[in-house]
Amino acid sequence: MRKGGKAREAARVKLWAARASTTVVLWLCCALLLATSRELGRWSGCLTQPLIVVERRFEAVAAAAGERAASASAAVGAGAGGERAASASAAVAVAALPPKRIYKNNGYLMVSCNGGLNQMRAAICDMVTIARYLNVTLIVPELDKTSFWNDPSEFKDIFDVDYFIASLRDEVRILKELPPRLKRRVELGYVRSMPPVSWSDISYYHNQILPLIRKYKILHLNKTDARLANNGLPMEIQKLRCRVNFAALRFTPEIEELGRRVVQILRRSGPFVVLHLRYEMDMLAFSGCTHGCSNEEADELTRMRYAYPWWKEKVIDSNAKRKDGLCPLTPEETAMVLKALDIDSSYQIYIAAGEIYGGQRRMAALTSAYPNVVRKETLLPSDLRFFQNHSSQMAALDYIVSLESDIFIPTYDGNMAKVVEGHRRYLGFKKTVLLDRKLIVELVDQYKNGTMSWNHFSSAVKVSHSSRMGAPSRRQMIPDKPKEEDYFYANPHECLHQPEALSVL
């Protein structure tokens, strides 16, 4: 009996010690949460680094909690210790979230994005910011499934939806779907749907959109690309756009992991360049650019352009458009530019694009000059089977690799080129060669017709691009001409650590 009493007493002491250690962990989590809430503030703005720091701090706490729980488990039994470990981990997971922002809800905003992955990405950032400013509840955006790419992917198939919602809860309430009563109203067609006016400042949404939300309780905005102005917005709004883009919108763990694997494979062989070679069938058809194509190919591209009624331009002078710098560079022109810039021929050239129009025949000049041309399909052929026929998920992989590359070179200034440029600026102004296509095609033609030597060609390319490498700069503002301004997501300078000299420009 004495031995049994001593054993029970020892068990009680161990149980008390386990409970005490768990209590300490929970108090520590609360203390960190309070400190974090003071750091976040009312308008959190660009918090990519602070959010990462907070995550790591709580990961350290979680690790400590796991160690203490394991010790408690050994002392008082696996069952009780396992339950305490689970409760401690759950408490840490809850504590790691930013505190909810409390506000009077003015209604619900539904969003349908249009275009490719990066066009939709920018639109999502804008719509989160607008929802926050209008004090409404945002429903997780619907992605485009009817465009040329015909990708059936949902938001949750591309982005980490739970992290997206949780990481922004101190700014705006985001739901995966409408409450049941309101959802039935939408299913019955009782919802106002409209596209917002392009390049609008925030006053438009306050004066025109908010009254509609208050009236109908639900508003559906479609065609959401480029609906918020580049410039003239309050600093806190610009910083929130950046926070959504650089912190809240992260890809699913599966996409992130596969992207890291591609980068690791590339890194094993040394430096690599990502070439966003936008010489794909859809781009050539849309732009009407047929330089270097056969007559049959030019006819095929023209027929494709007429087949899509929303591609408004019909009769296009390809030569004139090319001379104006409005066409993507061909693989042949791109090879000349890489050599002129002294890109080492031993470097790996990762093609971030879909299938190149004309196949190996059009790629011959590039692969001859740079033998180490690779694609995700050649690096991880078997692992991409789950991503086939999902163009946005494939584009997400290219996005990850583009951010990590030693040099990023887009041959056309489409949405991916612009958004990746801005993200690389945010990561420390990583080298991004912004090609002057109008000048390049002029130099290429002079070299090919014999009026310019290779040395002069190479020198002219180097000199003209010495200031086009993604270095710190201010966005160009053109009052009343927002389409001609520098795009916000290509250079979100409000969120970047600019040199002192630029602060006075």
Side-chain angles (χ1 to χ4, degrees):
M1 291 297 292
R2 289 181 180 177
K3 290 182 179 179
K6 289 182 179 180
R8 284 194 295 272
E9 182 65 23
R12 281 196 294 271
V13 170
K14 291 175 180 178
L15 179 60
W16 177 86
R19 287 175 176 171
S21 64
T22 302
T23 301
V24 170
V25 171
L26 293 176
W27 274 108
L28 182 56
C29 291
C30 292
L32 284 173
L33 176 59
L34 290 173
T36 302
S37 65
R38 285 193 293 270
E39 292 172 4
L40 290 174
R42 181 180 174 88
W43 276 94
S44 305
C46 287
L47 289 178
T48 303
Q49 298 306 320
L51 280 176
I52 291 173
V53 170
V54 169
E55 280 185 344
R56 288 174 179 166
R57 284 160 64 188
F58 280 109
E59 285 170 2
V61 173
E67 291 174 3
R68 291 188 179 93
S71 298
S73 176
V76 300
E83 290 176 5
R84 275 187 290 278
S87 63
S89 298
V92 171
V94 172
L97 299 176
K100 285 185 179 180
R101 174 173 167 261
I102 306 301
Y103 60 91
K104 180 182 177 182
N105 183 34
N106 287 318
Y108 294 83
L109 180 62
M110 299 174 63
V111 171
S112 292
C113 302
N114 59 300
L117 173 65
N118 293 286
Q119 186 172 330
M120 293 190 291
R121 184 187 183 105
I124 292 166
C125 298
D126 286 352
M127 293 299 115
V128 169
T129 304
I130 289 163
R132 193 275 179 220
Y133 178 78
L134 299 183
N135 285 335
V136 300
T137 296
L138 177 69
I139 308 304
V140 169
E142 178 186 25
L143 303 188
D144 191 343
K145 301 179 184 63
T146 61
S147 64
F148 168 83
W149 298 276
N150 197 30
D151 187 340
S153 298
E154 303 283 355
F155 187 102
K156 63 182 176 60
D157 299 320
I158 300 172
F159 300 107
D160 188 335
V161 64
D162 292 322
Y163 180 79
F164 172 72
I165 293 171
S167 66
L168 291 168
R169 59 189 247 144
D170 60 323
E171 294 287 6
V172 63
R173 183 181 180 219
I174 305 175
L175 300 178
K176 292 182 181 179
E177 58 181 21
L178 286 165
R181 180 178 59 84
L182 297 177
K183 189 176 181 181
R184 285 194 293 272
R185 284 181 55 185
V186 172
E187 291 170 349
L188 293 172
Y190 299 119
V191 61
R192 175 69 184 271
S193 183
M194 61 177 287
V197 176
S198 299
W199 308 113
S200 298
D201 63 23
I202 206 69
S203 64
Y204 161 79
Y205 289 93
H206 180 77
N207 298 327
Q208 302 294 325
I209 300 300
L210 183 56
L212 293 175
I213 296 176
R214 284 175 169 158
K215 179 179 179 180
Y216 295 102
K217 301 303 179 186
I218 313 168
L219 184 66
H220 174 229
L221 296 183
N222 53 42
K223 297 181 180 178
T224 53
D225 62 314
R227 303 296 156 159
L228 195 56
N230 290 314
N231 300 296
L233 297 175
M235 181 68 75
E236 60 268 20
I237 287 177
Q238 300 289 57
K239 288 193 172 183
L240 181 55
R241 294 167 89 179
C242 291
R243 178 182 169 186
V244 181
N245 190 24
F246 303 132
L249 274 180
R250 65 184 188 187
F251 297 119
T252 64
E254 295 79 10
I255 293 175
E256 292 278 357
E257 174 60 24
L258 200 56
R260 282 193 291 269
R261 288 178 59 192
V262 172
V263 172
Q264 288 170 358
I265 293 171
L266 290 166
R267 284 276 175 239
R268 290 186 199 127
S269 300
F272 69 96
V273 176
V274 166
L275 187 63
H276 185 41
L277 189 61
R278 199 66 171 93
Y279 202 78
E280 300 146 310
M281 187 176 186
D282 65 297
M283 174 50 66
L284 299 180
F286 172 76
S287 63
C289 297
T290 58
H291 178 73
C293 295
S294 66
N295 291 334
E296 292 78 10
E297 288 173 332
D299 291 341
E300 181 182 38
L301 294 172
T302 301
R303 287 194 300 272
M304 183 178 181
R305 184 168 70 255
Y306 276 86
Y308 290 87
W310 52 89
W311 290 356
K312 296 179 181 179
E313 291 185 88
K314 297 299 180 182
V315 178
I316 297 175
D317 185 333
S318 176
N319 289 330
K321 199 164 186 178
R322 174 177 174 268
K323 289 184 180 298
D324 285 336
L326 301 177
C327 288
L329 295 184
T330 67
E332 298 92 337
E333 293 167 340
T334 302
M336 293 179 64
V337 171
L338 296 183
K339 288 193 291 184
L341 291 172
D342 292 334
I343 302 295
D344 196 310
S345 61
S346 67
Y347 279 12
Q348 298 166 99
I349 307 294
Y350 177 93
I351 304 297
E355 185 178 352
I356 302 303
Y357 190 63
Q360 291 301 317
R361 178 180 63 83
R362 293 308 302 270
M363 288 290 289
L366 182 60
T367 54
S368 174
Y370 292 89
N372 297 321
V373 172
V374 297
R375 307 171 60 94
K376 53 187 174 294
E377 292 85 353
T378 60
L379 296 175
L380 290 173
S382 60
D383 296 278
L384 295 178
R385 62 186 183 278
F386 299 111
F387 296 87
Q388 296 298 332
N389 302 319
H390 294 84
S391 58
S392 291
Q393 296 180 48
M394 297 286 268
L397 291 173
D398 283 339
Y399 188 95
I400 293 171
V401 180
S402 297
L403 291 185
E404 295 296 326
S405 63
D406 296 279
I407 307 173
F408 176 65
I409 306 178
T411 62
Y412 189 73
D413 57 352
N415 288 290
M416 178 170 173
K418 291 175 180 176
V419 177
V420 169
E421 175 195 344
H423 206 148
R424 287 173 65 86
R425 286 175 179 271
Y426 184 80
L427 294 174
F429 301 99
K430 300 175 75 172
K431 191 171 184 179
T432 302
V433 184
L434 307 173
L435 300 178
D436 184 343
R437 295 189 304 279
K438 184 175 181 178
L439 175 63
I440 285 172
V441 297
E442 180 181 339
L443 295 175
V444 166
D445 289 347
Q446 290 181 39
Y447 172 72
K448 285 190 171 181
N449 65 25
T451 60
M452 177 179 286
S453 68
W454 173 256
N455 287 339
H456 280 95
F457 173 83
S458 180
S459 176
V461 171
K462 288 189 185 76
V463 170
S464 61
H465 288 84
S466 60
S467 60
R468 298 175 65 89
M469 298 288 181
S473 65
R474 293 290 183 180
R475 269 195 322 276
Q476 182 184 29
M477 297 178 61
I478 306 177
D480 301 322
K481 293 183 179 180
K483 290 183 179 180
E484 299 177 22
E485 294 179 331
D486 291 339
Y487 188 41
F488 173 81
Y489 290 101
N491 185 13
H493 67 71
E494 295 92 335
C495 311
L496 310 179
H497 297 291
Q498 303 279 3
E500 291 296 327
L502 288 179
S503 62
V504 298
L505 294 180

